[in-house]
Amino acid sequence: MTVPSASMLHMRTGGIRLIICAALTALAGGFATPAHAQRPAGPGPRVAHRAAPAAPAVVARAAYLYDATTGTIQLSKEATRRMPVASLTKVMTAYVVLREAGLNDIVTINAADVRHAATNGATGASLRAGERLTVRDLLYGVMLPSGADASHALARVYGPGQAGFVAKMNAAGRSLGLTGTRYTNPDGLPKPGGGHSTARDQARLAEIALRDPALLTIASTRRHTMPVSKTHRAHTWTNTNKLIGKTPGALGLKTGYTRAAGYCLSFAADRDGHRLIGVILGDAKSDRRFRTANRLLNWAGDQISGTQDPVDDL
């Protein structure tokens, strides 16, 4: 038997290694990457993904904003907290009147209506005893200048009487599911006390109230003028809601203030086919509630449209 020399073993081992390497190379051929693709790629185009901006800050004690078209809640802060809502109460007053009266019905103002606003230090529509106005015009007097004289006259006639009217307000609230709401008068004044609602309830009420074409028209009006006639003096009422005519798509709805309630605002706007409804309760500054509402509407509108434009102040 011939014993292989060391040189022969080395040649055989080397050959085996060459065969193995060749086999592995052939096996990997199907997975080979072209040489040009193996080179590090240069910097490609970048796609910028901006995070959706956070909701604007709300300083007021409570706030609520939702998309009534989709039911999406956009913002909620202490939204179920029960608190006084001042003249936002008059939204329910208008809602009840529109179910009890005809818009062309005539109401005669009496001394008690005028005295009610004057003695309580409430805002009025400058009505005088003996004037006769339509329900439609009195609703302008309720919603634009927030006239407690106008709301008192309507409640007196369509209660009939204040107590009867308040009972109808609370019955309407129950039927609408406003579980955190209780009314004690038709205007939101502190007397007799005990009246309260929530930001969420008031937003729900606003959404329903604005379905009425007459109330939608009234609440969206910046100024209503009545020339003098045989039945009443001339009146010009300007909407206390500063969003009207300034914020795109703004529809109203109502302002309010008492010391206990702070500055309140029920607001709405149509944006890109969506109706946004909001409520701010208990702000310490009058103008801030409007700036906050404007920012919230613009922010929510941007979420709907997919844009992220700068939020403009009023």
Side-chain angles (χ1 to χ4, degrees):
M1 179 176 181
T2 304
V3 178
S5 66
S7 59
M8 291 176 65
L9 287 173
H10 177 75
M11 289 176 64
R12 289 178 183 175
T13 304
I16 292 171
R17 282 201 296 266
L18 287 172
I19 292 169
I20 292 172
C21 289
L24 289 175
T25 301
L27 181 64
F31 303 98
T33 304
H36 67 81
Q38 295 175 10
R39 292 194 298 269
R46 284 184 169 182
V47 179
H49 295 286
R50 291 186 296 174
V58 176
V59 180
R61 294 200 297 268
Y64 191 73
L65 177 72
Y66 81 110
D67 184 337
T69 303
T70 63
T72 304
I73 299 171
Q74 303 280 3
L75 178 139
S76 181
K77 175 184 178 180
E78 298 286 345
T80 60
R81 178 181 176 182
R82 296 182 178 184
M83 46 197 302
V85 297
S87 285
L88 269 58
T89 297
K90 295 185 176 88
V91 176
M92 179 59 86
T93 297
Y95 177 84
V96 171
V97 168
L98 286 166
R99 276 142 191 80
E100 296 287 325
L103 289 170
N104 294 319
D105 288 356
I106 301 296
V107 173
T108 302
I109 306 302
N110 67 20
D113 303 326
V114 178
R115 186 168 56 249
H116 172 75
T119 59
N120 286 289
T123 53
S126 302
L127 302 177
R128 289 185 182 176
E131 287 190 278
R132 291 187 293 129
L133 297 89
T134 65
V135 165
R136 186 194 308 273
D137 284 332
L138 282 175
L139 286 173
Y140 276 103
V142 168
M143 298 299 292
L144 271 60
S146 199
D149 45 5
S151 60
H152 190 277
L154 288 167
R156 171 176 55 80
V157 173
Y158 294 104
Q162 304 299 307
F165 192 84
V166 170
K168 291 179 178 178
M169 294 171 71
N170 285 316
R174 288 191 295 272
S175 71
L176 297 177
L178 309 186
T179 56
T181 300
R182 176 176 178 265
Y183 295 107
T184 58
N185 57 39
D187 46 40
L189 289 171
K191 298 178 182 179
H196 57 256
S197 188
T198 69
R200 186 174 67 181
D201 275 6
Q202 288 301 300
R204 167 69 175 163
L205 175 60
E207 192 269 323
I208 295 170
L210 287 172
R211 295 177 192 172
D212 189 299
L215 188 53
L216 174 61
T217 297
I218 291 168
S220 303
T221 299
R222 191 171 186 180
R223 180 173 291 126
H224 180 66
T225 299
M226 299 168 52
V228 64
S229 74
K230 294 179 179 179
T231 61
H232 57 73
R233 300 185 306 136
H235 294 282
T236 297
W237 296 317
T238 301
N239 204 323
T240 56
N241 185 351
K242 294 183 179 181
L243 300 181
I244 302 300
K246 295 182 179 180
T247 296
L251 306 173
L253 177 66
K254 191 71 190 71
T255 62
Y257 171 78
T258 64
R259 286 186 179 180
Y263 292 98
C264 304
L265 179 65
S266 175
F267 58 97
D270 284 341
R271 298 286 177 89
D272 290 322
H274 292 245
R275 178 156 295 178
L276 300 170
I277 305 285
V279 172
I280 294 171
L281 301 179
D283 204 321
K285 297 182 179 180
S286 177
D287 283 345
R288 186 167 58 197
R289 59 184 160 168
F290 301 113
R291 292 195 299 269
T292 300
N294 187 63
R295 290 171 179 171
L296 287 172
L297 288 172
N298 288 341
W299 168 77
D302 287 347
Q303 310 312 302
I304 293 169
S305 66
T307 62
Q308 295 182 23
D309 295 328
V311 177
D312 297 325
D313 278 336
L314 287 175

